[in-house]
Amino acid sequence: MSDSTLLVLVLNTLLNEEDLDWVFFSPAGSLEPGERTGVYRLGKDDLIRNEAGESKISVGDYAKAMIDELEHPKHHQERFTIGY
């Protein structure tokens, strides 16, 4: 089973879960080394792309957004995405 197939299976299982408060945080299409800029966009189910059509995020910004979500939860029983 490929990694992407497994992720789809897990997400579909969670979407039917009613008793757990879960969150599924999906990075941009390209997760790259880099510092935190603090300038990124969050979305729901769609891949976030920049003006050039690229979908990318630095590890620093991805980590910052993940920590923000853990400390101040805004997403409950849903998937959310990140990108520039």
Side-chain angles (χ1 to χ4, degrees):
M1 179 180 298
S2 73
D3 289 347
S4 60
T5 302
L6 180 58
L7 290 176
V8 169
L9 177 63
V10 169
L11 180 58
N12 286 336
T13 300
L14 290 173
L15 288 171
N16 292 310
E17 177 59 53
E18 296 178 5
D19 295 327
L20 295 175
D21 185 12
W22 58 269
V23 64
F24 196 98
F25 186 30
S26 297
S30 179
L31 183 59
E32 303 173 346
E35 297 296 318
R36 181 178 75 176
T37 68
V39 181
Y40 52 81
R41 295 178 293 144
L42 298 177
K44 293 291 183 185
D45 292 316
D46 296 321
L47 198 62
I48 296 178
R49 299 177 186 277
N50 63 18
E51 303 79 32
E54 304 163 322
S55 177
K56 57 186 180 177
I57 192 70
S58 72
V59 172
D61 280 331
Y62 183 79
K64 173 65 170 134
M66 183 185 307
I67 291 167
D68 286 348
E69 179 64 25
L70 289 170
E71 291 179 343
H72 307 283
K74 295 180 181 166
H75 301 90
H76 304 277
Q77 294 185 316
E78 66 182 2
R79 173 185 180 188
F80 75 107
T81 60
I82 188 171
Y84 295 123

